[in-house]
Amino acid sequence: MAQLVRTQLLFLLVGVTAVWAARPRTELLSVCMDAKHHKEKPSPEDQLHKQCSPWKKNSCCFPNTSQEAHKDISYLYKFNWDHCGHMTPACKRHFIQDTCLYECSPNLGPWIQEVNQSWRKERILDVPLCKEDCQQWWQDCRTSYTCKSNWHRGWNWTSGYNQCPVGAACLPFHFYFPTSAALCREIWSHSYKLSNYSRGSGRCIQMWFDPAQGNPNEEVARFYALAMSAGALPRGLEPLLLSLALMQQLWLLG
Ligand SMILES: *[C@@H]1O[C@H](CO)[C@@H](O)[C@H](O)[C@H]1NC(C)=O
Ligand SMILES: *[C@@H]1O[C@H](CO)[C@@H](O)[C@H](O)[C@H]1NC(C)=O
Ligand SMILES: *[C@@H]1O[C@H](CO)[C@@H](O)[C@H](O)[C@H]1NC(C)=O
Ligand SMILES: *[C@@H]1O[C@H](CO)[C@@H](O)[C@H](O)[C@H]1NC(C)=O
């Protein structure tokens, strides 16, 4: 009888531990990365500008950052979208949206990584962008030109903004980004990757969303945060199971 109670207690303990260990890691949810312009913590912002306004309810960007996100060679990064002549507005709106997502989203926690860079302490890595968002970006930039596939490195900054380095020819986007997957992966050094999932699936990050339906990326962050803590479960549970097994041996002997 006593043995039965002990066994039941053991199972209860293992169960409770498993549930505890499988909670989503709250430090991955509703957080801002430690980077150049981000707020320390997300909070509501009524005055977010145009394309950044979907993040009003909970935002990592200040209103001034959201304003700048819409400008050419803004003070944010002095980045020149028109480095190979005029970038079409249809193309540029995706870069504005990309900037809004990067600066304002509090739902990128599962993909934040520490980096040793002069201008930021953290970056995002392999954020799964919904395939339609990535494909539309690539489609709409068909008629624009660029000279590089990695827009983080290798520019000539002597004029104060990025210019094409010597020997990098201005060619249609599709020369440097042959697929939508290549665009999302290469342009910001693997900050994004093309997800296999579609908008509305709850399994990929949407660059574009209608805030009237809430922010769909909250659920996505919760899902991946949970998946990541579940992935860490076996390692965390191993020592516990081992000690429980030992205790049971001792009880059985006693
Ligand atoms: C943007 O606004 C925030 C909050 O009001 C302020 O702390 C920050 O200095 C501003 N940045 C610039 C460049 O004006
Ligand atoms: C970051 O880089 C600097 C300069 O390259 C170096 O001194 C420092 O040790 C590095 N820190 C880490 C944590 O790698
Ligand atoms: C950088 O651009 C400037 C013009 O803005 C040019 O004079 C210089 O030769 C360029 N340097 C390199 C290394 O491409
Ligand atoms: C992508 O989706 C297809 C069909 O839904 C599936 O067969 C395939 O395994 C998925 N690939 C990855 C990498 O998840």
Side-chain angles (χ1 to χ4, degrees), residues 29-46:
L29 301 178
S30 194
V31 289
C32 300
M33 74 187 99
D34 186 352
K36 196 172 178 190
H37 302 289
H38 287 73
K39 290 157 59 171
E40 208 171 300
K41 281 182 180 161
S43 58
E45 292 289 354
D46 279 346

Side-chain angles (χ1 to χ4, degrees), residues 156-159 161 163-166:
N156 176 356
W157 287 96
T158 54
S159 58
Y161 55 88
Q163 289 184 301
C164 292
V166 175

Side-chain angles (χ1 to χ4, degrees), residues 11-12 32 44 88 111 119 163 191 193 205 220-221 228 234 237 253:
F11 277 109
L12 185 69
C32 300
T88 64
W111 303 277
W119 54 287
Q163 289 184 301
S191 291
K193 66 177 184 186
I205 292 290
V220 180
M228 283 170 190
L237 213 53
L253 286 174

Side-chain angles (χ1 to χ4, degrees), residues 83-184:
H83 52 265
C84 282
H86 183 63
M87 179 188 274
T88 64
C91 176
K92 196 171 288 180
R93 71 189 182 103
H94 292 277
F95 285 95
I96 295 169
Q97 201 65 20
D98 158 43
T99 307
C100 290
L101 176 72
Y102 175 80
E103 299 292 346
C104 308
S105 177
N107 310 119
L108 302 176
W111 303 277
I112 292 177
Q113 302 274 323
E114 283 183 34
V115 280
N116 195 3
Q117 291 176 333
S118 58
W119 54 287
R120 58 178 182 180
K121 293 206 174 88
E122 290 180 334
R123 63 164 296 183
I124 43 172
L125 188 68
D126 292 334
V127 172
L129 268 197
C130 295
K131 60 179 171 191
E132 294 86 355
D133 284 11
C134 192
Q135 284 162 353
Q136 196 66 50
W137 188 355
W138 185 69
Q139 277 298 332
D140 289 346
C141 289
R142 263 198 115 85
T143 53
S144 292
Y145 286 72
T146 186
C147 58
K148 291 170 56 43
S149 55
N150 184 327
W151 287 20
H152 266 150
R153 292 172 214 290
W155 298 102
N156 176 356
W157 287 96
T158 54
S159 58
Y161 55 88
N162 56 308
Q163 289 184 301
C164 292
V166 175
C170 285
L171 292 166
F173 248 66
H174 290 193
F175 176 86
Y176 289 99
F177 304 112
T179 60
S180 56
L183 171 67
C184 288

Side-chain angles (χ1 to χ4, degrees), residues 212-247:
Q213 264 83 62
N215 179 342
N217 298 327
E218 287 176 9
E219 182 198 338
V220 180
R222 264 200 305 276
F223 173 80
Y224 284 98
L226 191 60
M228 283 170 190
S229 40
L233 186 63
R235 231 184 316 160
L237 213 53
E238 219 168 33
L240 179 82
L241 289 175
L242 197 66
S243 54
L244 283 175
L246 276 169
M247 280 162 72

